[in-house]
Structures are given as structure tokens and as C-alpha cells.
Amino acid sequence: MFYSIKIKKRKRFYLASFLDVSQEMICFLIQKRFFVKRVGCNPENLKDFSAVGFVFGRKLYKELSTPVGLIQSTWGGTHAESWTSMKVMENNPLYADVLKQYSKEKVSREKDKCKVPATLWNGMIAPMVGYTVKGNIWYQGESNSVRYEKYQEVFTNLINSWRKEWNQPDMPFYFVQIAPHYKQPAGIREAQLKTWLSGLENIGMAVVTDAADSTDIHPRNKVAPGERLAAWALAKQYGKKIVYSGPLYKSMKVNGREITLDFAFAEGGLQT
């Protein structure tokens, strides 16, 4: 059972890990040229692993009592276009501004080279095509907030293109709605919500607004997103009868001076 993971992080590396039956996580650190080094799971080594990814894997392991493999590909501060194949973007007007702004010829700062369109697809995703992957979890969006009105289509194209490359048309994509920040437009979160509600099969969204910090672009609570992503996988891929989403507004009815709100995923009602 494999889950590939793209997590928004400051660290610049590609890393894969596996959970074995003894609850020991074996980490494989793969540097930019796919140099592999295996290290044991301990506090010293684990500090370089995504906390959200670790919580996700730990939750699956505890619930399933079976090994779960994780392949993680990360690069902080990147937009979705970095992780999208050029053949998806090159003749599509949707990407014209990004292709121009972040062309290799115009990017001079070292820290911006990760934003060259398709560069991370080429170096960090394409080499993994062919691995048996059961699903994906995704935590990204901050760098697309300046173009939030395009994000639904951009993200949908990314999902569909990955599914096509893996020849898995229903490959799951579960993603975190980006944590709110006081400098970030709400439009990016709305675009992610619209992606979830678009009718695209086998996708799900984990909301972390209640676990976020509007003054910290990297909220410290990693348990909430990790376990909420795991709930989607446990319910949809492994058939667990659990709650896998928070309440979602559906409709409202006005009756005199009363308004009745209807929510999905709230069979037991709401509490304050």
C-alpha cells in the first residue's frame, strides 16, 4: 500500500519512508540525484521528515495493523505549475503568465529556480512514474494564492495529468485546504473547496482552519491535517466506517424569523 506525498515544507529534499510491522519507520533519504541513504526512525532522523506525512502514516498503521509505504516529494514555496508536466501547459493560455514570468531565462535567483514550470515534475515526480501508488496526499497552495482565480483549473489539470501518467484514472487525491493567514486571500481556499465539489472523482479535502494560526504561515499543529487526511484514506480506500470530513454547508430555509441550515457530514448534528 503506497501513498505518494507532496507536503508544503521549508526543507528541500525528496524523501521516502516505510512503516514496518514493528512500528519502526525506516526512512530513505533521497537527495537531488536520487542518492539513497537508509536511516532508522528516531527523534534525530525524524526531524527531517514531514510531520504531517508521519502522522498520516502512523494513523494508517495503527488502524490497519499492516505496513504502509510512503513516498514523499517536497519543496517549499512552490506553485502547482512546478509539479505539472510541460505538455499539459505549453499550449494552454491558462498558463501563459506563469510560463512567461518563470521561464528559465528570466529566473535568476537560486531560490526561485524551483518555480520554473515543470521543473519539479521533471526532477521529482516523473522518475517515480510506474511505482504502484494507492493514492496521493497534497498540502500546497500558498504560492498560487496570487493567482487563486486560476487554481481550481490548474489543480484539476495536475490531478488528471498525474492519473494519466500512472494509468490510474481514479487514483485518489486527498488534499489539505491551505491554512488561513492574514496576508493570504481567502480566494485560494475557495478555489480548493470548488475543486473538491467539482465532481472530480476520488478527491477529498481536509480543513484545518480550526487548527491554524493566522499569524503563522506554517501552523504548528501537524496532527490535525495528518489525521484528517488519513480519515479520508481509511474511509474511502480501506472501507472503515468513520467520519472522514467536517460539516459542509448545503442549503438554508427561511421560515418567518427562523433560518434552518442544512449541512452534509453532520449526521449527529452540530455542537458549540
Coordinates of all heavy atoms in Angstrom, one line a residue, residues 100-159:
K100 N 5.7 32.7 -18.8 CA 6.5 33.9 -19.2 C 7.3 34.4 -18.0 O 8.5 34.7 -18.0 CB 5.6 35.0 -19.7 CG 6.3 36.2 -20.1 CD 5.3 37.3 -20.7 CE 6.0 38.5 -21.1 NZ 5.1 39.6 -21.6
Q101 N 6.6 34.5 -16.8 CA 7.2 35.1 -15.6 C 8.3 34.2 -15.1 O 9.3 34.8 -14.6 CB 6.1 35.3 -14.6 CG 6.7 36.0 -13.3 CD 5.6 36.2 -12.2 OE1 4.4 35.9 -12.5 NE2 6.0 36.7 -11.1
Y102 N 8.1 32.9 -15.1 CA 9.1 32.0 -14.5 C 9.9 31.1 -15.5 O 10.3 30.0 -15.2 CB 8.4 31.1 -13.5 CG 7.9 31.9 -12.3 CD1 6.6 32.2 -12.2 CD2 8.8 32.3 -11.3 CE1 6.1 32.9 -11.0 CE2 8.3 33.0 -10.2 CZ 7.0 33.3 -10.1 OH 6.6 34.0 -9.0
S103 N 10.0 31.7 -16.7 CA 10.8 30.9 -17.7 C 12.3 30.8 -17.2 O 12.7 31.7 -16.4 CB 10.8 31.7 -19.1 OG 11.4 32.9 -19.0
K104 N 13.0 29.8 -17.7 CA 14.4 29.7 -17.2 C 15.2 30.9 -17.5 O 16.2 31.2 -16.7 CB 15.0 28.4 -17.9 CG 14.4 27.1 -17.4 CD 15.2 25.9 -18.0 CE 14.9 25.8 -19.5 NZ 15.6 24.5 -20.0
E105 N 14.9 31.6 -18.6 CA 15.7 32.7 -18.9 C 15.5 33.9 -18.0 O 16.4 34.8 -17.8 CB 15.4 33.2 -20.4 CG 15.7 32.2 -21.5 CD 14.8 31.0 -21.5 OE1 13.7 31.1 -21.0 OE2 15.2 29.9 -22.0
K106 N 14.3 34.0 -17.4 CA 14.0 35.1 -16.5 C 14.2 34.9 -15.0 O 14.3 35.8 -14.2 CB 12.6 35.5 -16.7 CG 12.3 36.2 -18.1 CD 10.9 36.8 -18.2 CE 10.7 37.5 -19.5 NZ 9.4 38.1 -19.6
V107 N 14.4 33.6 -14.6 CA 14.6 33.3 -13.2 C 16.1 33.3 -13.0 O 16.9 32.5 -13.5 CB 14.1 31.9 -12.9 CG1 14.5 31.5 -11.5 CG2 12.5 31.9 -13.0
S108 N 16.5 34.3 -12.1 CA 18.0 34.4 -11.8 C 18.3 34.0 -10.4 O 19.4 33.5 -10.2 CB 18.4 35.9 -12.1 OG 17.6 36.8 -11.3
R109 N 17.4 34.3 -9.5 CA 17.7 33.9 -8.1 C 17.6 32.4 -7.9 O 16.7 31.8 -8.3 CB 16.7 34.6 -7.2 CG 16.8 36.1 -7.2 CD 16.0 36.8 -6.0 NE 14.6 36.3 -6.0 CZ 13.7 36.7 -5.1 NH1 14.1 37.4 -4.0 NH2 12.5 36.3 -5.1
E110 N 18.6 31.9 -7.2 CA 18.7 30.5 -6.9 C 17.4 29.9 -6.3 O 16.9 28.9 -6.6 CB 19.9 30.2 -6.0 CG 20.1 28.7 -5.8 CD 20.5 27.9 -7.0 OE1 21.1 28.5 -7.9 OE2 20.2 26.7 -7.1
K111 N 16.9 30.7 -5.3 CA 15.7 30.2 -4.6 C 14.4 30.2 -5.4 O 13.4 29.6 -5.0 CB 15.4 31.0 -3.3 CG 15.0 32.5 -3.6 CD 14.7 33.2 -2.3 CE 14.0 34.5 -2.5 NZ 13.7 35.2 -1.2
D112 N 14.4 30.8 -6.6 CA 13.3 30.9 -7.5 C 13.3 29.8 -8.5 O 12.4 29.6 -9.3 CB 13.1 32.2 -8.1 CG 12.7 33.3 -7.1 OD1 12.1 32.9 -6.1 OD2 12.9 34.5 -7.3
K113 N 14.4 29.1 -8.7 CA 14.5 28.1 -9.7 C 13.5 27.0 -9.6 O 13.2 26.3 -10.6 CB 16.0 27.6 -9.8 CG 17.0 28.6 -10.3 CD 18.4 28.1 -10.4 CE 19.3 29.1 -10.9 NZ 20.7 28.7 -11.0
C114 N 13.1 26.7 -8.4 CA 12.1 25.7 -8.1 C 10.7 26.1 -8.7 O 9.8 25.2 -8.8 CB 11.9 25.4 -6.6 SG 11.4 26.8 -5.7
K115 N 10.6 27.4 -9.1 CA 9.3 27.8 -9.6 C 9.3 27.8 -11.2 O 8.3 28.2 -11.8 CB 9.0 29.2 -9.1 CG 8.8 29.3 -7.6 CD 8.4 30.7 -7.2 CE 8.0 30.7 -5.7 NZ 7.6 32.0 -5.2
V116 N 10.3 27.4 -11.8 CA 10.3 27.2 -13.2 C 9.3 26.1 -13.5 O 9.4 25.0 -13.0 CB 11.7 26.8 -13.8 CG1 11.6 26.5 -15.3 CG2 12.7 27.9 -13.5
P117 N 8.3 26.4 -14.4 CA 7.2 25.4 -14.6 C 7.8 24.1 -15.1 O 8.7 24.0 -15.9 CB 6.4 26.1 -15.7 CG 6.6 27.6 -15.5 CD 8.0 27.7 -15.0
A118 N 7.2 23.0 -14.5 CA 7.5 21.6 -14.8 C 8.9 21.2 -14.2 O 9.2 20.0 -14.3 CB 7.5 21.4 -16.3
T119 N 9.6 22.0 -13.6 CA 11.0 21.6 -13.2 C 10.9 20.5 -12.1 O 11.7 19.6 -12.1 CB 11.8 22.8 -12.7 OG1 13.1 22.4 -12.5 CG2 11.2 23.4 -11.4
L120 N 10.0 20.6 -11.2 CA 9.9 19.6 -10.1 C 9.1 18.4 -10.6 O 9.3 17.3 -10.1 CB 9.2 20.2 -8.9 CG 10.0 21.4 -8.3 CD1 9.3 21.9 -7.0 CD2 11.4 21.0 -8.0
W121 N 8.2 18.5 -11.6 CA 7.7 17.4 -12.2 C 8.8 16.5 -12.9 O 8.9 15.3 -12.7 CB 6.6 17.7 -13.3 CG 6.4 16.6 -14.2 CD1 6.9 16.4 -15.4 CD2 5.5 15.5 -14.0 NE1 6.5 15.2 -16.0 CE2 5.6 14.6 -15.1 CE3 4.7 15.1 -12.9 CZ2 4.9 13.4 -15.2 CZ3 4.0 13.9 -13.0 CH2 4.1 13.1 -14.1
N122 N 9.6 17.2 -13.6 CA 10.7 16.5 -14.3 C 11.7 15.8 -13.3 O 12.1 14.7 -13.6 CB 11.5 17.5 -15.2 CG 10.7 18.1 -16.3 OD1 9.7 17.4 -16.8 ND2 11.0 19.2 -16.8
G123 N 12.1 16.5 -12.3 CA 13.1 16.0 -11.4 C 12.6 15.2 -10.2 O 13.4 14.3 -9.7
M124 N 11.4 15.3 -9.8 CA 10.9 14.7 -8.5 C 9.7 13.9 -8.6 O 9.3 13.2 -7.7 CB 10.8 15.8 -7.5 CG 12.1 16.6 -7.2 SD 11.9 17.9 -6.0 CE 11.8 17.0 -4.5
I125 N 8.9 14.0 -9.7 CA 7.7 13.2 -9.9 C 7.9 12.2 -11.0 O 7.6 11.0 -10.9 CB 6.5 14.0 -10.1 CG1 6.3 15.0 -8.9 CG2 5.2 13.1 -10.3 CD1 6.1 14.3 -7.6
A126 N 8.3 12.7 -12.2 CA 8.4 11.8 -13.4 C 9.3 10.5 -13.1 O 8.9 9.5 -13.6 CB 9.0 12.6 -14.6
P127 N 10.4 10.6 -12.4 CA 11.2 9.4 -12.1 C 10.4 8.4 -11.3 O 10.9 7.2 -11.3 CB 12.4 10.0 -11.3 CG 12.5 11.4 -11.7 CD 11.1 11.9 -11.9
M128 N 9.3 8.7 -10.6 CA 8.6 7.8 -9.8 C 7.4 7.1 -10.6 O 6.8 6.2 -10.1 CB 8.0 8.4 -8.6 CG 9.1 8.9 -7.6 SD 8.4 9.4 -6.0 CE 7.4 10.8 -6.6
V129 N 7.1 7.7 -11.8 CA 6.0 7.1 -12.6 C 6.3 5.6 -12.8 O 7.4 5.3 -13.3 CB 5.8 7.9 -13.9 CG1 4.8 7.2 -14.8 CG2 5.4 9.3 -13.6
G130 N 5.3 4.8 -12.6 CA 5.5 3.4 -12.7 C 5.5 2.7 -11.3 O 5.2 1.5 -11.3
Y131 N 5.8 3.4 -10.3 CA 5.6 2.8 -8.9 C 4.1 2.5 -8.7 O 3.3 3.3 -9.1 CB 6.1 3.8 -7.9 CG 7.6 3.7 -7.6 CD1 8.5 4.3 -8.4 CD2 8.1 3.0 -6.5 CE1 9.9 4.3 -8.2 CE2 9.4 3.0 -6.2 CZ 10.3 3.6 -7.1 OH 11.7 3.6 -6.8
T132 N 3.9 1.5 -8.0 CA 2.5 1.2 -7.6 C 2.1 2.1 -6.5 O 2.6 2.1 -5.4 CB 2.4 -0.3 -7.1 OG1 2.8 -1.2 -8.2 CG2 0.9 -0.6 -6.7
V133 N 1.1 3.0 -6.8 CA 0.7 4.0 -5.9 C -0.8 3.9 -5.6 O -1.6 3.8 -6.5 CB 1.0 5.4 -6.5 CG1 0.4 6.5 -5.6 CG2 2.5 5.6 -6.7
K134 N -1.1 3.8 -4.3 CA -2.6 3.6 -4.0 C -3.3 5.0 -3.9 O -4.5 5.0 -4.1 CB -2.7 2.9 -2.6 CG -4.1 2.4 -2.4 CD -4.1 1.5 -1.1 CE -5.5 0.9 -0.9 NZ -5.9 -0.1 -1.9
G135 N -2.6 6.1 -3.7 CA -3.2 7.4 -3.6 C -2.2 8.4 -3.3 O -1.0 8.2 -3.0
N136 N -2.6 9.7 -3.3 CA -1.8 10.8 -3.0 C -2.4 11.8 -2.0 O -3.6 11.9 -1.9 CB -1.6 11.6 -4.3 CG -0.9 10.9 -5.4 OD1 0.3 10.8 -5.5 ND2 -1.8 10.3 -6.3
I137 N -1.5 12.3 -1.2 CA -2.0 13.4 -0.3 C -1.2 14.7 -0.7 O 0.0 14.6 -1.0 CB -1.9 13.1 1.2 CG1 -0.5 12.9 1.7 CG2 -2.8 11.9 1.5 CD1 -0.3 12.7 3.2
W138 N -1.8 15.8 -0.6 CA -1.2 17.1 -1.1 C -1.5 18.2 -0.2 O -2.6 18.4 0.3 CB -1.9 17.3 -2.5 CG -1.5 18.6 -3.2 CD1 -2.1 19.8 -3.1 CD2 -0.5 18.7 -4.2 NE1 -1.5 20.7 -3.9 CE2 -0.6 20.1 -4.7 CE3 0.4 17.8 -4.8 CZ2 0.3 20.5 -5.6 CZ3 1.2 18.3 -5.8 CH2 1.2 19.7 -6.2
Y139 N -0.4 19.0 0.1 CA -0.6 20.2 1.0 C 0.2 21.3 0.4 O 1.4 21.4 0.6 CB 0.0 19.8 2.4 CG -0.4 20.8 3.5 CD1 0.0 20.5 4.8 CD2 -1.0 22.0 3.3 CE1 -0.3 21.3 5.9 CE2 -1.3 22.9 4.3 CZ -1.0 22.5 5.6 OH -1.2 23.4 6.6
Q140 N -0.5 22.1 -0.4 CA 0.1 23.2 -1.1 C -0.9 24.2 -1.5 O -2.1 23.9 -1.4 CB 0.8 22.6 -2.4 CG 1.5 23.5 -3.3 CD 0.6 24.2 -4.4 OE1 -0.5 23.8 -4.6 NE2 1.1 25.3 -4.9
G141 N -0.5 25.4 -1.9 CA -1.5 26.4 -2.3 C -1.0 27.8 -2.1 O -1.5 28.8 -2.7
E142 N -0.2 28.0 -1.1 CA 0.3 29.4 -0.7 C 0.8 30.1 -1.9 O 0.5 31.3 -2.1 CB 1.3 29.2 0.4 CG 2.0 30.6 0.8 CD 3.2 30.3 1.7 OE1 3.3 29.2 2.2 OE2 4.0 31.3 1.8
S143 N 1.7 29.5 -2.7 CA 2.4 30.2 -3.8 C 1.4 30.4 -5.0 O 1.8 31.1 -5.9 CB 3.6 29.4 -4.2 OG 4.6 29.4 -3.2
N144 N 0.2 29.8 -5.0 CA -0.7 30.0 -6.0 C -1.8 31.0 -5.6 O -2.7 31.4 -6.4 CB -1.4 28.7 -6.4 CG -0.6 27.9 -7.3 OD1 0.2 27.0 -6.9 ND2 -0.7 28.1 -8.6
S145 N -1.7 31.6 -4.4 CA -2.7 32.5 -3.9 C -2.8 33.8 -4.7 O -3.8 34.4 -4.7 CB -2.5 32.8 -2.4 OG -1.3 33.4 -2.2
V146 N -1.7 34.2 -5.3 CA -1.7 35.4 -6.1 C -2.5 35.2 -7.4 O -2.8 36.2 -8.1 CB -0.3 35.9 -6.4 CG1 0.4 36.3 -5.1 CG2 0.5 34.8 -7.1
R147 N -2.7 33.9 -7.8 CA -3.5 33.6 -9.0 C -4.6 32.7 -8.6 O -4.9 31.7 -9.3 CB -2.6 33.0 -10.0 CG -1.4 33.9 -10.5 CD -0.6 33.2 -11.6 NE -0.1 31.9 -11.2 CZ 1.0 31.8 -10.4 NH1 1.7 32.9 -10.0 NH2 1.5 30.6 -10.1
Y148 N -5.3 32.9 -7.5 CA -6.2 32.0 -7.0 C -7.4 31.7 -7.9 O -8.0 30.7 -7.9 CB -6.8 32.5 -5.6 CG -7.6 33.7 -5.6 CD1 -8.9 33.8 -6.0 CD2 -7.0 34.9 -5.3 CE1 -9.6 34.9 -6.0 CE2 -7.7 36.1 -5.3 CZ -9.0 36.1 -5.7 OH -9.7 37.3 -5.7
E149 N -7.7 32.7 -8.8 CA -8.9 32.5 -9.7 C -8.6 31.5 -10.7 O -9.5 30.9 -11.3 CB -9.2 33.9 -10.4 CG -8.2 34.4 -11.4 CD -6.9 35.0 -10.7 OE1 -6.9 35.2 -9.5 OE2 -6.0 35.4 -11.5
K150 N -7.3 31.1 -10.9 CA -7.0 30.0 -11.8 C -6.8 28.7 -11.2 O -6.6 27.7 -11.8 CB -5.7 30.4 -12.6 CG -5.9 31.6 -13.5 CD -4.6 31.9 -14.3 CE -4.8 33.1 -15.2 NZ -3.6 33.3 -16.0
Y151 N -6.7 28.7 -9.8 CA -6.2 27.5 -9.1 C -7.1 26.2 -9.3 O -6.5 25.1 -9.4 CB -6.0 27.8 -7.7 CG -5.3 26.7 -6.9 CD1 -3.9 26.5 -7.1 CD2 -5.9 25.8 -6.1 CE1 -3.2 25.5 -6.5 CE2 -5.2 24.7 -5.5 CZ -3.9 24.6 -5.7 OH -3.2 23.6 -5.0
Q152 N -8.4 26.4 -9.3 CA -9.2 25.2 -9.5 C -8.9 24.5 -10.8 O -8.7 23.2 -10.8 CB -10.7 25.6 -9.5 CG -11.6 24.4 -9.7 CD -13.1 24.8 -9.8 OE1 -13.5 25.9 -9.5 NE2 -13.9 23.8 -10.1
E153 N -8.7 25.2 -11.9 CA -8.4 24.5 -13.1 C -7.0 24.0 -13.1 O -6.7 22.9 -13.6 CB -8.6 25.5 -14.3 CG -8.5 24.9 -15.7 CD -8.9 25.8 -16.8 OE1 -9.4 26.9 -16.5 OE2 -8.8 25.4 -18.0
V154 N -6.1 24.8 -12.6 CA -4.7 24.4 -12.5 C -4.5 23.1 -11.7 O -3.8 22.2 -12.1 CB -3.8 25.5 -11.9 CG1 -2.4 25.0 -11.5 CG2 -3.7 26.7 -12.9
F155 N -5.1 23.1 -10.5 CA -5.0 21.9 -9.7 C -5.7 20.7 -10.3 O -5.2 19.6 -10.3 CB -5.6 22.2 -8.3 CG -5.4 21.1 -7.3 CD1 -4.3 20.4 -7.3 CD2 -6.3 21.0 -6.2 CE1 -4.0 19.4 -6.3 CE2 -6.1 20.0 -5.3 CZ -5.0 19.2 -5.3
T156 N -6.9 20.9 -10.9 CA -7.6 19.8 -11.6 C -6.8 19.2 -12.7 O -6.7 18.0 -12.9 CB -9.0 20.3 -12.1 OG1 -9.8 20.8 -11.0 CG2 -9.7 19.2 -12.9
N157 N -6.1 20.1 -13.5 CA -5.3 19.6 -14.6 C -4.1 18.8 -14.0 O -3.7 17.8 -14.6 CB -4.7 20.8 -15.4 CG -5.8 21.5 -16.2 OD1 -6.9 20.9 -16.4 ND2 -5.5 22.7 -16.7
L158 N -3.5 19.2 -12.9 CA -2.4 18.5 -12.3 C -2.9 17.1 -11.9 O -2.3 16.1 -12.2 CB -1.9 19.2 -11.1 CG -0.7 18.6 -10.3 CD1 0.2 19.7 -9.7 CD2 -1.2 17.7 -9.2
I159 N -4.0 17.0 -11.2 CA -4.6 15.7 -10.8 C -4.8 14.8 -12.0 O -4.4 13.6 -12.0 CB -5.9 15.9 -10.0 CG1 -5.6 16.6 -8.6 CG2 -6.5 14.6 -9.7 CD1 -6.8 17.1 -7.9

